Amino acid sequence: MAHIIGGVATTHVPSIGKAIAEHRENEPYWRPFFGGFDFVHGWLKLHRPDVVVVFSNDHGLNFFLDKMPTFAVGAAAEYRNEDEGWGIPVSHALAGDPELSWHLINGLVANEFDITMCQDMLVDHAITIPMALMWPGGEAPPVKIVPVSINTVQHPLPSVKRCLELGRSVGRAVRSYAKDLRVLMVGTGGLSHQLDGERAGFINKEFDKLCMDSIVKDPDTLSAYSIPHLVKEAGAQGVELLNWVAMRGALTDEVVEVHRNYHIPISNTAAATMVLENLPAKLKAA
């Protein structure tokens, strides 16, 4: 049977991709952020995931404001990247696992999630940068991916509670998959930031810490935040926290935080990296 080895949460700021392309990882500005991945590299070598389920949001490469699914799941054999206009190189294609994708899709629909199924899907920096951070060196990562896209752009957005339940449904589906696979959950984006308007440059360190602590100990407490409240506390683009919440939902009720790195700012964003390991004792009932 497939089992979930744990979860990684990380930011996906486009300038990180440019820093990687220009080999600036050890410069004073960047080292505090990239150094946070030293632990992640060792952890991944130890646990050797076969597949990564990535919860992220599309930035207009695949979906745009005229057609914006609340939830979309990739079911392709390959996921291409294209020029997004950020000045970062186009990434190599990432291998997919269509069989696992369809298993997750069936599980989600059975759990009454009305999702968009994508047999052809582009992936943007919200996936390519985290993959390059976890498996550096420029080669294709030694894993397959299943992308799960969450709308954090076009209101109305899904609630925190809905994203937590989405993750739980994905977790149940993975644990019922017959193949012996080691599956890693990844949530990308955030933390607090706002890119435009009167609050451009907004960062809320205290709220970020509260969210990271809650994700480890009691993610349900974050369900008390409405989307407007989340925007107030985390910034207009800080709602990418929804991707972290979905990742956490896919894990067991109790997890161990084995790594955390928090650094501000990267560009004008609060950047963080977390690694959580599953405790198998208490699985959420199906």
Side-chain angles (χ1 to χ4, degrees), residues 25-71:
E25 295 94 330
N26 291 315
E27 292 184 0
Y29 178 85
W30 288 105
R31 184 57 193 162
F33 170 74
F34 281 100
F37 274 84
D38 292 345
F39 176 90
V40 180
H41 301 154
W43 189 83
L44 290 172
K45 285 181 180 177
L46 179 65
H47 292 280
R48 298 176 291 107
D50 301 300
V51 183
V52 181
V53 177
V54 189
F55 297 93
S56 67
N57 55 294
D58 186 87
H59 297 77
L61 185 64
N62 201 71
F63 308 116
F64 201 61
L65 300 182
D66 59 336
K67 300 179 186 66
M68 183 61 69
T70 298
F71 302 122

Side-chain angles (χ1 to χ4, degrees), residues 76-260:
E78 182 181 84
Y79 299 94
R80 292 177 292 104
N81 177 228
E82 291 184 354
D83 187 354
E84 302 176 58
W86 300 105
I88 55 180
V90 174
S91 177
H92 44 66
L94 298 168
D97 187 334
E99 186 177 345
L100 177 59
S101 289
W102 284 110
H103 181 77
L104 300 189
I105 289 168
N106 281 312
L108 285 164
V109 173
N111 287 170
E112 301 184 349
F113 280 93
D114 302 319
I115 57 171
T116 297
M117 298 159 272
C118 303
Q119 297 187 69
D120 184 18
M121 187 178 192
L122 297 172
V123 293
D124 68 15
H125 66 275
I127 291 180
T128 59
I129 287 177
M131 296 299 284
L133 286 167
M134 291 188 288
W135 287 279
E139 301 296 326
V143 293
K144 296 178 179 178
I145 69 164
V146 176
V148 180
S149 179
I150 297 176
N151 170 29
T152 68
V153 177
Q154 175 69 61
H155 291 257
L157 309 184
S159 68
V160 175
K161 182 177 187 300
R162 190 64 171 159
C163 292
L164 188 59
E165 292 302 325
L166 175 85
R168 284 173 174 156
S169 182
V170 168
R172 288 193 293 271
V174 169
R175 288 188 287 271
S176 69
Y177 192 54
K179 284 190 174 180
D180 183 19
L181 293 177
R182 295 180 297 274
V183 182
L184 172 67
M185 298 292 162
V186 171
T188 85
L191 287 172
S192 62
H193 64 297
Q194 179 149 334
L195 303 178
D196 48 18
E198 294 182 356
R199 295 204 307 165
F202 173 79
I203 286 176
N204 188 342
K205 184 177 180 180
E206 291 304 314
F207 185 70
D208 290 338
K209 183 177 184 303
L210 180 151
C211 289
M212 288 188 286
D213 291 344
S214 298
I215 280 175
V216 175
K217 298 174 182 175
D218 189 2
D220 285 284
T221 60
L222 295 173
S223 297
Y225 288 90
S226 67
I227 293 300
H229 196 182
L230 194 58
V231 169
K232 178 183 177 182
E233 296 292 344
Q237 285 74 39
V239 292
E240 291 172 346
L241 176 71
L242 295 175
N243 302 324
W244 289 41
V245 168
M247 174 278 294
R248 176 62 181 89
L251 306 182
T252 48
D253 281 359
E254 294 187 7
V255 298
V256 176
E257 178 185 351
V258 295
H259 177 66
R260 178 189 296 198

